[in-house]
């Protein structure tokens, strides 16, 4: 029997409604486990470990990602796969961060949660947890079926660093617009083997260094010069992700391009990432993006914002800068970017 470690961090899946206020807040795992008696019937040996204080995922920060990576590292050789129970709000950020922290992964790390608490009759949590465990325990011979950090939600398995939460209402809460699903659960779990990353012959290790000296600047028509200049001149900040329009376009006003150029010359790393959730940045395709190219912006290609944030923190944390940072940011490190689409 395969061994799976279930790591409970919090999220709606483990929340209960407070009687007086009706507010949802997380409960501990012992209470949560009672609602999934089916765990005893799964053909896998399951152990659980829980965060000391379960979290609404809006409160996740770098220290929690590092804690998760440490739990996986400490238990890596004792288990065949890992399932992380996590709030859906920032699940895609955690998935992306873990994908960069875990090097040489040859086992599945499946992150899941739910839109309705596990104690509710119509909960989506049970199916999500049960199937996530099955996927984490799925092997063909010696090889894990999905040796990746992934998100399982509502019958779909996604590559973690390709997803974002797009729906706060429907059970199907995630999307991966630029990369196919890794598996679909129906009567059987159908694995999309061509899309799943191959195990490389590297050995597993964790590098959890992350630098959060980054900012995100979302452009909009009419944005003031004051806001742009302020965002580009934050003391000690190292990198700004500029969320541009369409295929990576922005205003051609000289004050705007000059501000970018100046920031670039002062050593700030600038990333061009589109506000469109599908497709890719193609810097230089339109005249309105050629200026960005000249000002030294680095194209984020078809990465999602969540992955671009985690990758920026990771590369800065490891100490990359200049041309080296640019080369690695545009390279496909964990399946997060399609290199030919840049
Ligand atoms: N606020 C919750 C969280 O992210 C939402 C959820 O779990 O779906 O922790």
């Amino acid at each position: 029997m395969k061994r799976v470690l279930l790591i409970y961090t919090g999220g709606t899946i483990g929340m209960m409604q407070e009687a007086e206020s009706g507010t949802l807040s997380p409960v501990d795992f012992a209470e949560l486990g009672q609602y999934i008696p089916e765990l005893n019937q799964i053909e896998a040996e399951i152990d659980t470990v829980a965060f000391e204080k379960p979290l609404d995922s809006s409160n996740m920060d770098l220290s929690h990602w590092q804690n998760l990576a440490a739990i996986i590292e400490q238990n890596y050789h004792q288990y065949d796969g890992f399932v992380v129970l996590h709030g859906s709000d920032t699940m895609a950020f955690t998935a992306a961060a873990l994908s960069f922290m875990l090097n040489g992964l040859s086992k599945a790390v499946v992150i899941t949660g739910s839109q309705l608490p596990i104690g509710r009759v119509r909960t989506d949590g049970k199916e999500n947890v049960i199937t996530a465990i099955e996927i984490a325990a799925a092997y063909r011979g010696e090889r894990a079926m999905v040796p990746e950090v992934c998100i399982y939600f509502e019958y779909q398995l996604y590559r973690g660093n390709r997803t974002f939460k797009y729906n706060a209402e429907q059970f199907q809460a995630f999307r991966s617009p630029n990369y196919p699903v890794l598996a679909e659960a129906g009567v059987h779990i159908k694995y999309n083997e061509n899309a799943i990353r191959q195990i490389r012959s590297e050995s597993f290790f964790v590098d959890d260094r992350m630098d959060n000296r980054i900012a995100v600047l979302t452009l909009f028509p009419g944005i003031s010069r004051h806001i742009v200049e302020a965002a580009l001149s934050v003391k000690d900040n190292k990198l700004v992700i500029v969320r541009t329009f369409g295929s990576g376009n922005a205003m051609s006003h000289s004050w705007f391009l000059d501000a970018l150029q100046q920031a670039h010359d002062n050593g700030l790393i600038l990333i061009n990432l589109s506000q469109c959730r599908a497709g890719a940045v193609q810097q230089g395709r339109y005249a309105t993006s050629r200026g960005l190219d000249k000002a030294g912006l680095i194209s984020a290609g078809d990465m999602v914002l969540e992955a671009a944030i985690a990758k920026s923190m990771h590369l800065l944390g490891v100490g990359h800068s200049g041309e080296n940072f640019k080369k690695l940011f545009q390279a496909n490190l964990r399946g997060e970017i399609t290199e030919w689409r840049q």
Side-chain angles (χ1 to χ4, degrees), residues 55-179:
L55 292 170
D56 183 302
S57 74
S58 302
N59 283 320
M60 283 271 167
D61 62 26
L62 270 61
S63 67
H64 301 109
W65 295 345
Q66 285 158 339
N67 190 11
L68 262 176
I71 294 173
I72 294 170
E73 183 178 35
Q74 284 150 17
N75 292 283
Y76 193 72
H77 299 292
Q78 290 91 281
Y79 291 90
D80 300 295
F82 299 84
V83 171
V84 179
L85 301 186
H86 192 292
S88 63
D89 288 353
T90 67
M91 188 181 284
F93 292 90
T94 299
L98 280 182
S99 77
F100 294 111
M101 287 177 171
L102 308 181
N103 293 268
L105 193 64
S106 62
K107 301 176 180 184
V109 175
V110 187
I111 310 180
T112 194
S114 67
Q115 293 277 59
L116 272 180
I118 202 94
R120 294 272 185 88
V121 180
R122 290 179 52 248
T123 186
D124 50 329
K126 270 193 192 187
E127 195 282 326
N128 283 347
V129 178
I130 292 165
T131 307
I133 295 172
E134 272 195 42
I135 292 169
Y139 272 67
R140 176 174 296 140
E142 294 288 295
R143 293 182 158 248
M145 286 304 289
V146 192
E148 297 204 21
V149 178
C150 33
I151 286 182
Y152 179 76
F153 227 86
E154 193 64 6
Y155 305 109
Q156 313 267 324
L157 184 74
Y158 308 94
R159 173 169 291 163
N161 58 27
R162 287 293 196 155
T163 62
F164 67 95
K165 182 172 180 182
Y166 113 103
N167 202 312
E169 165 72 20
Q170 291 177 359
F171 288 145
Q172 188 146 18
F174 288 87
R175 282 208 169 162
S176 164
N178 287 335
Y179 201 76

Side-chain angles (χ1 to χ4, degrees), residues 232 238-242 244 248 250 256-273 281 283-284 288-300 321-327 329-330 342:
L232 296 176
K238 290 190 158 181
L239 177 150
V240 174
I241 296 175
V242 185
T244 54
F256 176 69
L257 295 174
D258 289 348
L260 291 173
Q261 184 71 58
Q262 172 102 54
H264 173 72
D265 294 346
N266 290 340
L268 189 70
I269 300 173
L270 298 170
I271 306 291
N272 180 358
L273 185 135
V281 165
Q283 221 166 248
T288 44
S289 66
R290 206 166 298 139
L292 303 181
D293 210 31
K294 280 206 197 122
L297 273 82
I298 301 171
S299 165
S321 59
E323 274 308 304
N324 203 24
F325 178 97
K326 181 174 179 181
K327 200 175 102 214
F329 188 81
Q330 297 193 306
Q342 287 175 64

